[in-house]
């Protein structure tokens, strides 16, 4: 955490090329961008899908070769999938997710002339404040800022006074949502003399309810059900497709429970749960990935970390869609004010990425 903060402290400096030659050596028409997913797969309607959309959009803009995109079925696939992409002549390889970072680092060190883009991790395993290989560009997101707004919104719309969250694994890129959400609820309680409870996450212990993976399965449904049984009426699942299992539990509950999506605007990516969605906590993974690949394809690969914040619109809240008429106007105004205060620095949302 200290290393990540130190790394981010220098992010305002002008980008400098690291000298990696993978993109620069190839003309755009010969340039081959590649991508490997984590175990969630490219149809997760979340961050793997957004990353793929970014790579595809970049390839289209560049007029490059058709990207090679490989899905991982399990963590044991990561190293072999990366090696297969190296063997197929990829110029830039995008890895999706915190869990892929160790394999990405190993591959990057073994192939210093190739370029790597790491979504959701700084690849700073020794915590010295620097990415551990000069040919890796991190694309990371301080989603705690947007989750803070979602927590305040959830507390303000809750009728039971209980909101909940659960995740796939207790790793920083998951818990950052949950902790930011809880901070927003705390702010609502302070502002309004309220006592809305958060179940599924304990800020003091930095632990909570987790499914053990990122699959939409019965374990995820049961985890959601356990929170619903505690009278939750706003629920934030964090972990790609596990929201689908939460939606099943919500529908089975037979009462009004709002769902909060993550990464993409789930109302748009999965209309089947649109009527349940209060909002989604957005990460601009597609935009950040596209920009990185376009630069690399034009021979301008830049390893400086991209950090998505409310200020640069790398993170944010999706529209309320079907819930718009159930969110009081004064609450919407307050959310806008809180966003401005976070951007200005008047409010600091705690996270491992906060500089």
């Amino acid at each position: 955490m200290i290393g990540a903060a130190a790394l981010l402290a220098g992010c305002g400096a002008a980008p400098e090329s690291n000298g990696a030659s993978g993109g620069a050596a190839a003309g755009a028409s010969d340039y081959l961008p590649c991508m490997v997913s984590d175990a969630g797969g490219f149809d997760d309607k979340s961050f793997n899908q957004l990353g793929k959309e970014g790579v595809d959009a970049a390839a289209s803009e560049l007029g490059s070769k058709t990207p090679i995109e490989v899905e991982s079925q399990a963590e044991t696939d990561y190293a072999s999938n990366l090696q297969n992409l190296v063997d197929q002549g990829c110029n830039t390889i995008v890895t999706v997710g915190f869990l892929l970072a160790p394999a990405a680092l190993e591959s990057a060190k073994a192939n210093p002339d190739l370029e790597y883009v790491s979504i959701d991790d700084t690849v700073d395993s020794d915590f010295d404040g620097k990415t551990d290989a000069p040919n890796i560009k991190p694309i990371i997101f301080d989603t705690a800022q947007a989750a803070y707004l979602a927590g305040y919104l959830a507390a303000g719309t809750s009728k039971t006074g209980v909101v909940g969250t659960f995740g796939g694994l207790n790793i920083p890129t998951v818990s950052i949502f949950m902790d930011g959400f809880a901070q927003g609820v705390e702010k609502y309680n302070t502002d309004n003399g309220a006592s809305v409870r958060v179940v599924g996450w304990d800020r003091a212990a930095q632990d909570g309810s987790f499914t053990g993976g990122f699959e939409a399965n019965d374990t995820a449904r049961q985890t959601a059900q356990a929170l619903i049984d505690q009278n939750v009426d706003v629920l934030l699942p964090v972990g790609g497709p596990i929201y689908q299992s939460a939606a099943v539990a919500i529908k089975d509950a037979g009462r009004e429970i709002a769902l909060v999506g993550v990464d993409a605007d789930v109302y748009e990516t999965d209309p089947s749960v649109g009527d349940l969605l209060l909002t989604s906590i957005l990460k601009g993974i597609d935009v950040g990935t596209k920009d990185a690949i376009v630069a690399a394809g034009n021979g301008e690969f830049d390893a400086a970390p991209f950090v998505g914040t409310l200020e640069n619109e790398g993170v944010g809240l999706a529209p309320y869609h079907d819930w718009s008429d159930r969110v009081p106007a004064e609450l919407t105004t307050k959310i806008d004010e809180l966003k401005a205060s976070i951007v200005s620095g008047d409010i600091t949302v705690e996270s491992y990425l906060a500089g």
Side-chain angles (χ1 to χ4, degrees):
M1 291 172 63
I2 294 172
L7 182 151
L8 298 176
C11 288
E16 296 179 4
S17 171
N18 67 0
S21 59
S29 62
D30 294 325
Y31 172 72
L32 178 58
C34 299
M35 184 175 205
V36 56
S37 81
D38 75 358
F42 291 129
D43 62 349
D44 63 354
K45 298 180 174 61
S46 187
F47 74 117
N48 283 288
Q49 179 174 319
L50 288 172
K52 181 181 185 302
E53 289 173 359
V55 172
D56 291 345
S60 177
E61 181 172 316
L62 289 165
S64 70
K65 292 181 178 178
T66 301
I68 300 174
E69 295 157 339
V70 180
E71 285 191 335
S72 301
Q73 301 303 315
E75 288 187 49
T76 51
D77 296 337
Y78 295 160
S80 59
N81 281 343
L82 283 163
Q83 186 58 50
N84 286 338
L85 293 178
V86 171
D87 293 343
Q88 292 184 73
C90 297
N91 297 109
T92 308
I93 299 174
V94 180
T95 62
V96 187
F98 175 90
L99 295 175
L100 258 162
L105 176 60
E106 182 178 353
S107 183
K109 285 184 172 179
N111 301 281
D113 291 334
L114 300 186
E115 301 158 349
Y116 292 76
V117 176
S118 172
I119 295 174
D120 256 1
D121 194 70
T122 59
V123 197
D124 179 19
S125 59
D126 57 6
F127 302 107
D128 67 350
K130 298 178 182 178
T131 301
D132 292 341
N135 53 332
I136 300 178
K137 179 182 182 67
I139 298 180
I140 49 183
F141 301 87
D142 196 354
T143 39
Q145 295 184 350
Y148 183 100
L149 302 181
Y152 198 101
L153 173 67
T157 53
S158 175
K159 295 178 180 177
T160 65
V162 187
V163 300
T165 182
F166 70 99
L169 294 170
N170 191 357
I171 56 178
T173 48
V174 171
S175 63
I176 191 173
F177 283 90
M178 302 167 75
D179 199 66
F181 183 79
Q183 289 178 64
V185 174
E186 290 174 2
K187 173 64 171 172
Y188 179 86
N189 287 339
T190 298
D191 286 352
N192 297 278
S195 55
V196 178
R197 290 194 302 121
V198 178
V199 296
W201 179 250
D202 183 331
R203 290 206 67 220
Q206 289 291 292
D207 200 6
S209 298
F210 294 94
T211 65
F214 298 106
E215 295 79 31
N217 54 25
D218 197 55
T219 299
R221 184 196 62 78
Q222 290 178 17
T223 304
Q225 186 62 54
L227 299 179
I228 289 170
D229 289 345
Q230 297 178 65
N231 211 24
V232 159
D233 65 352
V234 183
L235 183 58
L236 167 65
V238 185
I242 66 172
Y243 78 87
Q244 297 166 9
S245 302
V248 171
I250 288 171
K251 290 175 181 178
D252 287 347
R255 60 184 178 87
E256 187 174 89
I257 301 170
L259 180 68
V260 178
V262 299
D263 299 333
D265 183 349
V266 180
Y267 187 93
E268 302 291 347
T269 60
D270 189 357
S272 71
V273 300
D275 61 322
L276 303 179
L277 284 160
L278 171 59
T279 187
S280 295
I281 301 165
L282 304 177
K283 295 166 70 169
I285 292 171
D286 50 347
V287 177
T289 304
K290 177 186 174 183
D291 288 352
I293 294 299
V294 168
N298 285 324
E300 300 170 353
F301 177 77
D302 169 23
F306 169 82
V307 185
T309 63
L310 288 175
E311 183 174 12
N312 64 21
E313 298 183 344
V315 301
L317 285 189
Y320 306 150
H321 297 297
D322 291 356
W323 272 74
S324 294
D325 60 354
R326 284 172 275 184
V327 178
E330 59 270 22
L331 181 56
T332 298
T333 299
K334 181 62 178 180
I335 296 294
D336 291 339
E337 292 173 356
L338 290 171
K339 177 181 177 180
S341 294
I342 293 170
V343 169
S344 71
D346 290 339
I347 292 176
T348 299
V349 182
E350 296 176 13
S351 83
Y352 75 103
L353 295 179

